Amino acid sequence: MSLDGTYDDGNIFAKILRGEMPSARVFEDEHVYAFMDVFPQARGHTLVIPKHSQARNLLEEDPQVLAPLILGVQRVARAVRAALKPDGLVITQFNGQPAGQTVFHLHFHIIPRWEGVALGRHAGGGMADPAELKDLAAQISAMIA
Ligand code: AMP
């Protein structure tokens, strides 16, 4: 899907928000939902999405939704840092299939990085163990300030 198109509420993140698909929940408030990426590029790879949005990408988002979303991203990133003590953090976001986007509900990736540990492939690695994701989600959740 290119930058042009319409929001499909059958996308996987919309299903997660409606409780139709499971997720390892890290955090939520009235604006945002954070959960573990099931094909993590690194241990602790976390996604943050707006709860009330039909934006497929950053360009489409209402500024009133974007403001609390980015604050949520910062809050969760701080918790990832506190919980997992990475050497660095990648915070990224893809717009349109040619740019690498695979799920068309706006989201931010928070990816911890450690010196000497290679980054996994985007949306192309193996599926994580659900029990491990649940444990990581609990560790990060405990550090939300
Ligand atoms: P993007 O390619 O930027 O659209 O990112 C979509 C991300 O969602 C990828 O990193 C996928 O690994 C991840 N993903 C796909 N399905 C699920 C799911 N059911 N639960 C959690 N993460 C998912």
Side-chain angles (χ1 to χ4, degrees):
M1 195 184 283
S2 73
L3 290 175
D4 298 312
T6 52
Y7 183 83
D8 172 7
D9 67 5
N11 77 75
I12 193 84
F13 294 171
K15 287 182 178 172
I16 286 173
L17 285 172
R18 291 195 297 266
E20 294 166 12
M21 289 288 292
S23 65
R25 182 170 67 105
V26 170
F27 170 74
E28 73 180 296
D29 63 13
E30 59 178 307
H31 303 290
V32 306
Y33 187 79
F35 56 106
M36 304 311 297
D37 195 304
V38 287
F39 301 104
Q41 288 183 258
R43 191 170 73 90
H45 184 165
T46 305
L47 300 170
V48 184
I49 65 176
K51 274 178 150 177
H52 310 291
S53 174
Q54 295 221 321
R56 292 170 308 137
N57 56 54
L58 185 71
L59 283 64
E60 293 180 354
E61 192 54 280
D62 178 345
Q64 300 215 8
V65 174
L66 198 51
L69 173 61
I70 199 68
L71 292 174
V73 170
Q74 185 193 49
R75 193 170 180 193
V76 174
R78 285 175 167 165
V80 170
R81 182 192 184 188
L84 304 181
K85 310 275 191 298
D87 300 316
L89 282 170
V90 174
I91 296 180
T92 192
Q93 187 275 321
F94 299 83
N95 299 279
Q97 199 164 24
Q101 186 175 8
T102 57
V103 178
F104 298 91
H105 178 110
L106 173 62
H107 53 281
F108 283 84
H109 297 259
I110 299 170
I111 308 174
R113 298 297 312 272
W114 286 268
E115 300 279 1
V117 179
L119 187 64
R121 274 202 305 137
H122 171 68
M127 192 178 233
D129 173 10
E132 193 182 328
L133 290 187
K134 205 173 160 196
D135 181 56
L136 282 164
Q139 288 181 50
I140 298 166
S141 184
M143 291 297 175
I144 295 282

